[in-house]
Each structure stands twice: as structure tokens, then as C-alpha cells.
């Protein structure tokens, strides 16, 4: 097959030619609704998820988002119960579909869109 791979609007090859996951309308609401008790106002662990810039600044453990690499992004590892304690702390776990959406956003480059 010599055809070019399909490229999503966000530049991910072999995608379905759909638009990227939108940070402001899809990802930030997940953070606000599921992580807000600890990571919006009081920045538990040094992590503040109230804005894109704050999220990309990471926390006391370093970067939580590795753009283009969800499998090694700490936020995904924490949400998938790969680390102890899993997040959201005391209210584990958020729906896998939401975690997968965050992972897709990260794999698409974690754009501020």
C-alpha cells in the first residue's frame, strides 16, 4: 500500500481524520469535575489543574503530562491505578472512557485548544 496514512486534524497519523480532542471543552471539565477537590484551588502535591498552563507546569513529582506520550504521563498512570495512591484520592476511580479521552488528548500532543 503506497497511499499516505490518514492524518487527524491534530497531526496524529493513522487516525480517523477527526478533529483533535479539545482541551477547553473536553479535558478541563474532566479536571474540574473529578480533580477539583484537591487540584484546583489548593494545589495538593503542588499540582494545580485549573488551567492548561498550570497542568503543564506539573507538580511536586514533576511533569504530569508528557506531550505525545500518554503511557508514560504520570496523570494517566495515577488515574489508571498504576500508582499508589490512585487518583482521584479517596474517590478512585473516574470512568475509563474519561481516562481514555485524556490519554487521546495527550497522544495528540496535549494541545491548548
Amino acid at each position: 500500500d503506497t497511499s499516505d496514512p490518514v492524518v487527524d486534524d491534530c497531526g496524529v497519523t493513522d487516525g480517523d481524520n477527526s478533529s483533535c480532542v479539545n482541551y477547553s471543552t473536553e479535558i478541563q471539565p474532566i479536571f474540574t469535575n473529578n480533580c477539583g477537590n484537591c487540584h484546583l484551588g489548593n494545589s495538593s502535591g503542588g499540582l494545580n489543574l485549573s488551567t492548561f498552563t498550570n497542568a503543564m507546569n506539573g507538580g511536586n513529582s514533576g511533569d504530569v503530562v508528557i506531550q505525545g506520550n500518554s503511557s508514560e504521563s504520570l496523570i494517566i498512570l495515577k488515574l489508571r491505578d498504576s500508582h499508589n495512591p490512585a487518583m482521584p484520592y479517596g474517590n478512585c476511580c473516574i470512568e475509563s472512557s474519561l481516562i481514555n479521552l485524556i490519554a487521546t488528548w495527550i497522544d495528540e500532543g496535549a494541545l491548548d485548544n
Side-chain angles (χ1 to χ4, degrees):
D1 183 17
T2 59
S3 64
D4 291 331
V6 175
V7 178
D8 289 326
D9 296 339
C10 56
V12 176
T13 57
D14 296 328
D16 60 3
N17 202 30
S18 63
S19 296
C20 297
V21 174
N22 185 278
Y23 177 81
S24 62
T25 62
E26 297 177 87
I27 302 304
Q28 185 60 56
I30 296 170
F31 291 163
T32 300
N33 294 331
N34 296 281
C35 313
N37 287 343
C38 300
H39 297 292
L40 289 186
N42 59 7
S43 302
S44 180
L47 179 62
N48 183 328
L49 296 174
S50 64
T51 67
F52 173 84
T53 300
N54 288 341
M56 297 309 286
N57 284 338
N60 295 346
S61 298
D63 292 339
V64 295
V65 172
I66 301 171
Q67 291 174 297
N69 189 349
S70 67
S71 64
E72 293 185 20
S73 291
L74 184 58
I75 195 165
I76 297 298
L77 297 173
K78 288 278 195 176
L79 290 172
R80 288 200 171 136
D81 198 19
S82 300
H83 282 73
N84 190 15
M87 296 294 148
Y89 185 74
N91 192 26
C92 180
C93 298
I94 69 171
E95 296 174 30
S96 61
S97 62
L98 298 178
I99 297 169
N100 291 339
L101 186 63
I102 297 168
T104 298
W105 168 71
I106 292 170
D107 289 336
E108 291 176 347
L111 303 175
D112 183 10
N113 55 1

